[in-house]
Amino acid sequence: MKLADNKATLSFSNGSPSVEMPVYQGNIGPDVIDIRKLYAQTGMFTYDPGFLSTASCQSGITYIDGDKGELLYRGYPIEQLATNVDYLDTCHLLLKGELPNKTEQVAFHKLVTNHTMVNEQMQFFLRGFRRDAHPMAVLTGLVGALSAFYHDSTDINNPEHREIAAIRLIAKMPTLVAMAYKYGVGQPFMYPQNDLSYSGNFLRMMFGTPCEEYKVNPVIERAMDRIFILHADHEQNASTSTVRLCGSSGTNPFAAIAAGVACLWGPAHGGANEACLNMLEDIQRQGGVSKVGQFMEQVKDKNSGVKLMGFGHRVYKNYDPRAKLMQETCNEVLEALGLENDPLFKLAKQLEKIALEDDYFVQRKLYPNVDFYSGIVQRAIGIPVNLFTGIFALARTVGWIAQLNEMIGDPEYKIGRPRQLFTGSVKRDVKPLDQR
Ligand code: SDX
């Protein structure tokens, strides 16, 4: 970051001395006011619950322009990545800053492939769960459990250890997600098969059985890979910020990623794809497109607590570019599977059309986000609704670990420790029990 020639001056109406603060510029996007010395100089904190106007770090990984609806991974537009490279190339890009050349691509693919198995002991963790446990609860446990196998061999201050932890996490997440699924349906776990692509291997571990050879459908394989690319990273979203804050204590990277899985589960964040599909199914059950108007009235009634899941975003005040690409993938997959007339896809497109013409949504700049169509395409692939967020976590693992490693690799980083505006009871004495 570079010092701007502009400065910020904070003055107070009560005559307290004004404070000057430096302004820094990034390569693109808003400048920042450096308030690190504010408390020392004024005895005051800034106040920004939800961090609407707060940059928590500097990063060179992902840039979002919410007004333009633009998303860049290391400078490359998501539209170009989603159509020209695969997920492992995207992982290489996010982790190392560059797309791989042919030699690097082969080496990276081989490295990841050689780490796809998990320790045989991992299967016994699943037995503690009921078969109907939510896969995100299982996944939070499994990812956290990985730290038990690597705690002694992971010195996060060693760049090589950080690199192998990243590879292990990227490589093992598909295996763990598939295990969570197989456990839920009571089928045997499938071991990774190293001659398949990353996405093909995941599909086989999910839908293959020991009883017959599994044939990867190339259209589904490509769609799965694109879903992974679209979910790979997204700047300082809630789960990435969780991973950074958790990792800032120096904890094991596997434990920090488990914290990210837990945060992503929330319906306001990664859990929105599951919530969106359930919302579409509810509307469909109640009568489908004919009920959309009534549903929209509920959404606009603040007291209903009903939100149009898959719509709206803290940063995008325009169409989420990932939603457009996801809709395209939806078309391709539904066509390939002969499901062009999928009622939920029709319903979703009708909902989107009505919302984008409705003043409530236009005024609030609410557009479809990545979660609006992702559930429809995953459902068509055969992924159960309660596993959608697990797929999101699988794909976002590379973003989480890239952001964590970027933070740990910054010599200036400190443990994150926000302050507060205290509104509780002032100091008072404990009274004896008979006087309370
Ligand atoms: C992801 O941060 C990321 O980058 C996340 C993510 C990633 O890749 O990591 O992009 C992934 O989490 C996408 C978002 C998925 N969540 C949903 O689809 C859930 C539904 N969306 C909302 O909950 C909401 O839009 C948020 C949480 C996504 C954003 O909320 P904000 O930025 O805190 O905005 P807000 O809740 O203050 O909403 C502003 C206004 C409010 O109305 P008013 O108070 O102005 O009258 O818009 C309304 C909200 O009530 N609003 C909605 C709405 N989203 C916002 N009204 C109806 N339906 C919605 N979906």
Side-chain angles (χ1 to χ4, degrees):
M1 65 186 185
K2 48 185 182 290
L3 196 57
D5 48 20
N6 183 16
K7 286 193 186 324
T9 305
L10 189 58
S11 59
F12 298 93
S13 56
N14 66 1
S16 306
S18 61
V19 176
E20 203 172 75
M21 289 164 284
V23 171
Y24 288 101
Q25 285 171 324
N27 296 343
I28 31 176
D31 294 351
V32 296
I33 300 169
D34 183 346
I35 58 163
R36 284 176 285 188
K37 294 196 171 59
L38 183 75
Y39 178 55
Q41 291 172 340
T42 67
M44 282 192 261
F45 301 136
T46 58
Y47 183 66
D48 186 14
F51 310 117
L52 286 102
S53 302
T54 294
S56 60
C57 63
Q58 56 178 305
S59 176
I61 299 175
T62 293
Y63 178 71
I64 303 169
D65 183 321
D67 295 329
K68 286 190 211 156
E70 189 177 68
L71 169 58
L72 310 176
Y73 289 168
R74 299 281 190 184
Y76 293 106
I78 191 69
E79 295 80 359
Q80 294 186 32
L81 293 170
T83 39
N84 297 311
V85 302
D86 70 13
Y87 178 69
L88 281 187
D89 286 354
T90 307
C91 290
H92 186 284
L93 172 67
L94 289 169
L95 285 173
K96 297 169 180 287
E98 295 300 337
L99 285 168
N101 59 33
K102 189 61 192 162
T103 314
E104 291 162 338
Q105 184 188 60
V106 169
F108 188 75
H109 194 292
K110 190 166 179 305
L111 185 60
V112 171
T113 303
N114 289 344
H115 285 275
T116 46
M117 277 207 300
V118 293
N119 187 298
E120 277 294 279
Q121 288 300 103
M122 284 298 285
Q123 62 186 293
F124 304 116
F125 283 108
L126 287 120
R127 290 185 184 171
F129 292 100
R130 288 186 352 205
R131 292 275 179 178
D132 63 353
H134 194 289
M136 283 304 280
V138 176
L139 211 48
T140 306
L142 290 179
V143 177
L146 275 182
S147 51
F149 293 91
Y150 302 110
H151 178 69
D152 304 334
S153 60
T154 311
D155 165 11
I156 55 155
N157 297 307
N158 177 333
E160 275 143 43
H161 286 204
R162 288 204 297 273
E163 161 91 10
I164 187 61
I167 297 297
R168 281 181 166 136
L169 279 156
I170 294 165
K172 297 180 194 309
M173 277 305 269
T175 311
L176 295 178
V177 172
M179 286 173 79
Y181 169 66
K182 285 300 198 188
Y183 183 74
V185 296
Q187 284 187 359
F189 302 130
M190 295 293 285
Y191 286 104
Q193 187 170 304
N194 290 354
D195 60 354
L196 295 173
S197 74
Y198 186 86
S199 303
N201 183 38
F202 174 64
L203 289 168
R204 180 179 169 279
M205 289 192 288
M206 280 285 293
F207 302 119
T209 69
C211 317
E212 57 195 21
E213 197 196 339
Y214 178 80
K215 282 232 168 306
V216 178
N217 174 328
V219 174
I220 307 294
E221 182 181 26
R222 181 69 199 129
M224 199 75 252
D225 203 73
R226 179 181 283 189
I227 289 170
F228 292 158
I229 292 171
L230 294 178
H231 288 86
D233 193 46
H234 214 240
E235 199 208 76
Q236 305 313 317
N237 58 85
S239 54
T240 298
S241 301
T242 300
V243 169
R244 279 180 173 257
L245 191 55
C246 182
S248 72
S249 71
T251 191
N252 180 300
F254 299 91
I257 299 300
V261 174
C263 174
L264 187 75
W265 191 5
H269 190 13
N273 50 22
E274 176 179 354
C276 181
L277 209 287
N278 290 334
M279 171 191 76
L280 291 171
E281 286 185 331
D282 281 350
I283 299 170
Q284 191 61 20
R285 253 194 308 275
Q286 290 162 33
V289 174
S290 63
K291 291 290 177 192
V292 167
Q294 185 185 329
F295 176 76
M296 289 308 230
E297 288 316 306
Q298 265 190 306
V299 169
K300 294 187 280 187
D301 167 12
K302 283 269 174 273
N303 305 321
S304 74
V306 173
K307 284 193 184 277
L308 180 53
M309 299 312 278
F311 254 71
H313 199 276
R314 174 62 58 76
V315 179
Y316 288 122
K317 300 308 170 191
N318 199 326
Y319 213 98
D320 183 335
R322 302 168 298 176
K324 277 197 191 102
L325 291 158
M326 198 64 82
Q327 194 183 92
E328 273 171 36
T329 305
C330 246
N331 275 319
E332 284 163 23
V333 168
L334 293 173
E335 222 165 272
L337 297 177
L339 300 170
E340 297 86 333
N341 296 321
D342 178 289
L344 286 195
F345 190 41
K346 283 181 168 213
L347 176 61
K349 286 194 280 191
Q350 184 61 15
L351 259 177
E352 175 190 338
K353 184 174 175 304
I354 293 173
L356 296 183
E357 290 161 1
D358 186 305
D359 203 35
Y360 174 94
F361 290 84
V362 172
Q363 252 181 18
R364 292 170 177 80
K365 299 185 178 177
L366 301 176
Y367 291 87
N369 59 51
V370 68
D371 293 310
F372 191 62
Y373 288 105
S374 71
I376 299 167
V377 61
Q378 291 185 70
R379 177 175 165 273
I381 290 174
I383 293 165
V385 180
N386 68 5
L387 199 71
F388 290 174
T389 311
I391 302 289
F392 195 151
L394 186 169
R396 183 55 58 88
T397 293
V398 63
W400 288 331
I401 194 75
Q403 298 268 353
L404 175 62
N405 285 354
E406 179 182 64
M407 177 187 78
I408 303 281
D410 174 352
E412 271 196 1
Y413 103 88
K414 290 174 172 302
I415 185 167
R417 205 294 188 197
R419 302 303 302 272
Q420 64 181 8
L421 175 68
F422 182 71
T423 55
S425 172
V426 295
K427 192 161 78 173
R428 52 182 173 163
D429 298 323
V430 173
K431 291 198 176 68
L433 185 59
D434 59 4
Q435 291 178 34
R436 274 183 241 159

